[in-house]
Each structure stands twice: as C-alpha cells, then as structure tokens.
Amino acid sequence: MDHSITDKDGKIYWVDVCKGIGILFVVLGHIAGGYAGAGIFPEYTRVLVTGANFAYVFHMTLLFILSGYLFYRSYAVEGGSSREMFIMPES
C-alpha cells in the first residue's frame, strides 16, 4: 500500500478530502437554511438555523484556507510568476 500524499499528477489527497468535506457542509448548510426559511419544521427552526450558521462559518473558513494554501503552493513554492498566474499564456 502506497502512503504517498500525492498522486502521479501531483494532486494532494488531504486537500481533496478537505474540499469534499467543505462541499458537504455547503450542501448541509443550504438544506438546513432552506428548511428553516420555509418553516417546514417549526419546532426545529432554532436548531436548523444554528446548524446552517455553523455549516456556513465552517465551510467558508475551510475553503478560504485551502485556496490560500494552494495559491501559496503554486505561486511561491513552485516558482510561478504573476504573468503565469493571472494572464493566459501566449501561444
């Protein structure tokens, strides 16, 4: 069993897992917020709103941290230039 943190294309496994968790929290936050807003379960509105707020705080923080890490990795560590990052390469 290979315990490498990257695959042959250079993708980092733990980053993909964290992105999946973030996406799951996006979906759960939208579901909880939708149910709370629609008033479908009025006795659970407070729980649904709290759950939706937690999901939004958690997934936004997680996804911002991951995007900053990936930007740093591709720009600073791997020697990218600003032209390569923000402008289409010339053909």
Side-chain angles (χ1 to χ4, degrees):
M1 178 179 224
D2 184 20
H3 293 291
S4 173
I5 61 169
T6 61
D7 65 2
K8 62 181 175 170
D9 297 327
K11 290 184 78 172
I12 305 168
Y13 290 127
W14 67 266
V15 171
D16 288 341
V17 170
C18 288
K19 288 192 300 188
I21 292 169
I23 291 168
L24 181 65
F25 272 99
V26 169
V27 172
L28 292 176
H30 281 281
I31 289 171
Y35 278 134
I40 295 174
F41 300 112
E43 63 274 6
Y44 297 112
T45 300
R46 188 173 187 184
V47 173
L48 290 171
V49 168
T50 303
N53 288 339
F54 174 76
Y56 281 113
V57 167
F58 182 76
H59 88 266
M60 289 302 293
T61 305
L62 177 67
L63 295 176
F64 271 109
I65 289 170
L66 287 175
S67 66
Y69 171 75
L70 292 174
F71 179 79
Y72 170 76
R73 182 178 166 90
S74 65
Y75 184 70
V77 175
E78 296 179 5
S81 70
S82 59
R83 178 163 175 73
E84 292 171 355
M85 289 297 291
F86 300 112
I87 301 175
M88 299 273 303
E90 297 175 8
S91 8

